[in-house]
Amino acid sequence: MGTVEYLTVTQIVLGVLARFWIVWVALGLVLAASFTFKKRLGLYGQLFDSGVGIAGVVLCLFWLFTAMFASHISPFNPLMQIPVMKDVLPGAIDPASGKPFLFGGDKLARDVFSRMVYGSRIVLAIAPAATAFALMVGITLGLAAGYFGGRIDTFLSFLANLVLAFPVILLFYLLVTPGIMDTPIPYAMAGLFFVFPIIFFCVLFYTRFRHRPERLYPLLAVTLVLGGWVYAGLVFNADPLNLISLAPNELNIFVAVVFASSPGVFRIVRGLTMDIKTRDYVAAAQTRGERPWYIMLWEILPNARGPLIVDTCLRVGYTTILLGTLGYFGLGLAPESPDWGTAIKDASRLLRSAIHPALPPTIALMSFVLGLNLLADALREQSLKD
C-alpha cells in the first residue's frame, strides 16, 4: 500500500468528467438536435417543454450512451484484478499502468469505476428488452381479452390473476435459481414468449396491407427473417453471426421478467380496450366492415398509447430495481458480474471498513431509475394535456 499514490479530490472529479467525454459529446449533439427540431419530433419533442422532461431525458440518455461507449470510458477491464489495489481509496494510482482507480478498488482489487460503467451495459441490455417483450405479450393478449370478452376474457384474465397473485420476489427466486436451467422450463417459456413479437407484427402488417400485396409481402418477409434471427439467437443461442445471444443465467432473468411483467401490461391494455371499444370511431370502423384485429391494432391501440408509454417507462424502472435486487441476493447473473446489484451486494459486506465501493453502483441505479420516473411524469403530464 505504501507504493500507491493518490489524486486530490479536484483531480478525481476532473478525471471522472474527462473519462465521460464521449458521453458529453453525444449528449450535447442529441440535445442540440432535439431542441432545434422539437416541434417536428411529436411526443419526444414535447418532453423539452418542461424541466422534468428535460431532466428525465438527460439522465436516461446519459446512461444509454454510457452503456454504448463503456469500452471507451472504462480505464480497466471490469474483471481485472490488481493485487496492490485491493480496497484502495478513490484516486489511487496503479503503480504499473499509471492509471487511477477513480472510485477506488473493491475487496477483489477491481476498479469500482470500470465496474460501474460496465454495469450499465448489463442493465440496459436486459431491462428495456425484457420490458419490450412483456409489452408484446401483454398487448396481444390484452387486446383480445378486452375486445372479444366472454370466455376468452375469462380464461386470459384468470391466468393473469393467477400470476399476479403469486409473490413477485418468490416467483423470481423460483425462476432464476441455477437448478432450473437443468430443466426445459426456461427454454419452453422463452420459446413461447419470444414468438409473440413475430405474431404481433405479422398480424399488424397483414391487417393494414392485406389488399396491397406489393407492400405486405416485403414487410412480412422482413418480419419473419429478422424475427426468426432474433428468435434463434435468444431461444436456441444459434445466431450464425454471433450478434444476438443470451447466456443461460441471462435467459433465466429475461424469461422471469417477461413472465412477471406481462400480466400487469395485460390488465392495463384490457381495461383500456374495454373503454375505447365503445367510442364512436370504433363503431364507425365496425360499420365499414373492418375486421376485429384491424380495429384492435389500428383504431384502439394508437388511442391507448399514452398510458402504455408511461407504464413502459415505469416498468423499465421497476425491472432495473428488480435486477438490482436479484443481484444483491446473488441470483441470476454470475457472481463476478459487474451489474449494479451484484456490486452493491459485494460492497455491503464491508461497509464498516470501506463504504466507497458501494456508493457508485448505488448512485448509478438510483439516478437511472430517477430518470425513468421523471420521464414517466413528463409523459403523464403531456398525455393529460392531449
Side-chain angles (χ1 to χ4, degrees):
M1 286 291 183
T3 60
V4 177
E5 298 181 357
Y6 287 85
L7 301 176
T8 65
V9 174
T10 303
Q11 289 174 320
I12 294 173
V13 173
L14 293 176
V16 171
L17 294 175
R19 295 302 310 183
F20 282 106
W21 72 267
I22 193 169
V23 173
W24 306 131
V25 171
L27 199 56
L29 292 174
V30 171
L31 291 179
S34 300
F35 276 107
T36 303
F37 303 105
K38 69 177 184 178
K39 293 183 178 180
R40 305 179 187 177
L41 297 175
L43 184 60
Y44 171 76
Q46 294 170 1
L47 291 173
F48 293 88
D49 293 333
S50 68
V52 172
I54 295 172
V57 170
V58 168
L59 285 172
C60 292
L61 286 179
F62 173 82
W63 287 114
L64 174 63
F65 291 135
T66 298
M68 291 173 59
F69 302 119
S71 58
H72 298 282
I73 299 169
S74 302
F76 298 94
N77 186 302
L79 303 180
M80 179 185 293
Q81 296 174 286
I82 304 176
V84 72
M85 305 299 282
K86 179 181 179 180
D87 290 329
V88 293
L89 296 174
I93 301 175
D94 173 27
S97 65
K99 298 179 181 178
F101 273 35
L102 293 169
F103 290 161
D106 64 9
K107 64 179 182 178
L108 295 179
R110 299 169 299 191
D111 180 31
V112 174
F113 176 80
S114 297
R115 290 180 64 77
M116 178 201 72
V117 171
Y118 270 94
S120 66
R121 178 172 286 184
I122 295 174
V123 170
L124 268 77
I126 295 178
T131 302
F133 276 91
L135 281 172
M136 292 291 100
V137 177
I139 288 173
T140 304
L141 299 180
L143 286 171
Y147 188 82
F148 292 117
R151 294 181 178 179
I152 294 177
D153 182 24
T154 302
F155 176 70
L156 293 177
S157 296
F158 171 77
L159 293 180
N161 292 330
L162 193 65
V163 177
L164 290 172
F166 210 75
V168 175
I169 293 297
L170 184 56
L171 179 64
F172 270 83
Y173 182 82
L174 293 174
L175 291 175
V176 302
T177 48
I180 200 172
M181 291 308 300
D182 297 330
T183 71
I185 294 176
Y187 298 100
M189 293 176 67
L192 174 63
F193 292 144
F194 294 171
V195 79
F196 271 88
I198 301 175
I199 296 174
F200 177 86
F201 284 106
C202 284
V203 175
L204 182 75
F205 295 138
Y206 176 78
T207 55
R208 184 70 171 183
F209 302 111
R210 63 191 180 92
H211 296 304
R212 299 171 61 187
E214 72 281 359
R215 293 287 302 277
L216 175 63
Y217 294 146
L219 288 172
L220 288 180
V222 170
T223 301
L224 292 174
V225 170
L226 291 180
W229 175 31
V230 174
Y231 188 87
L234 294 180
V235 179
F236 302 107
N237 198 21
D239 176 15
L241 301 180
N242 237 3
L243 297 176
I244 301 174
S245 63
L246 282 176
N249 51 356
E250 292 176 347
L251 180 66
N252 264 17
I253 295 176
F254 210 95
V255 168
V257 170
V258 176
F259 183 66
S261 299
S262 298
V265 179
F266 166 84
R267 294 188 67 174
I268 292 173
V269 175
R270 173 182 174 272
L272 291 169
T273 303
M274 293 178 70
D275 175 46
I276 295 174
K277 75 176 183 179
T278 61
R279 306 288 174 84
D280 291 340
Y281 53 82
V282 173
Q286 292 170 336
T287 304
R288 293 197 310 266
E290 301 291 357
R291 296 186 177 185
W293 277 104
Y294 176 91
I295 296 173
M296 284 185 268
L297 293 173
W298 294 100
E299 298 289 349
I300 295 176
L301 186 58
N303 289 285
R305 67 183 184 276
L308 282 176
I309 293 173
V310 174
D311 177 73
T312 300
C313 292
L314 294 174
R315 202 167 292 278
V316 173
Y318 298 153
T319 303
T320 302
I321 295 174
L322 192 55
L323 292 175
T325 303
L326 292 175
Y328 185 84
F329 287 117
L331 298 171
L333 296 173
E336 69 276 6
S337 170
D339 71 283
W340 295 335
T342 302
I344 295 171
K345 177 199 70 174
D346 292 340
S348 65
R349 296 173 179 174
L350 300 171
L351 283 179
R352 291 186 178 181
S353 58
I355 194 174
H356 64 272
L359 290 178
T362 303
I363 294 173
L365 180 62
M366 179 188 70
S367 62
F368 179 57
V369 175
L370 175 63
L372 290 168
N373 288 340
L374 292 175
L375 206 57
D377 286 342
L379 290 168
R380 185 184 297 111
E381 290 296 325
Q382 191 58 48
S383 64
L384 291 175
K385 292 179 182 178
D386 295 340

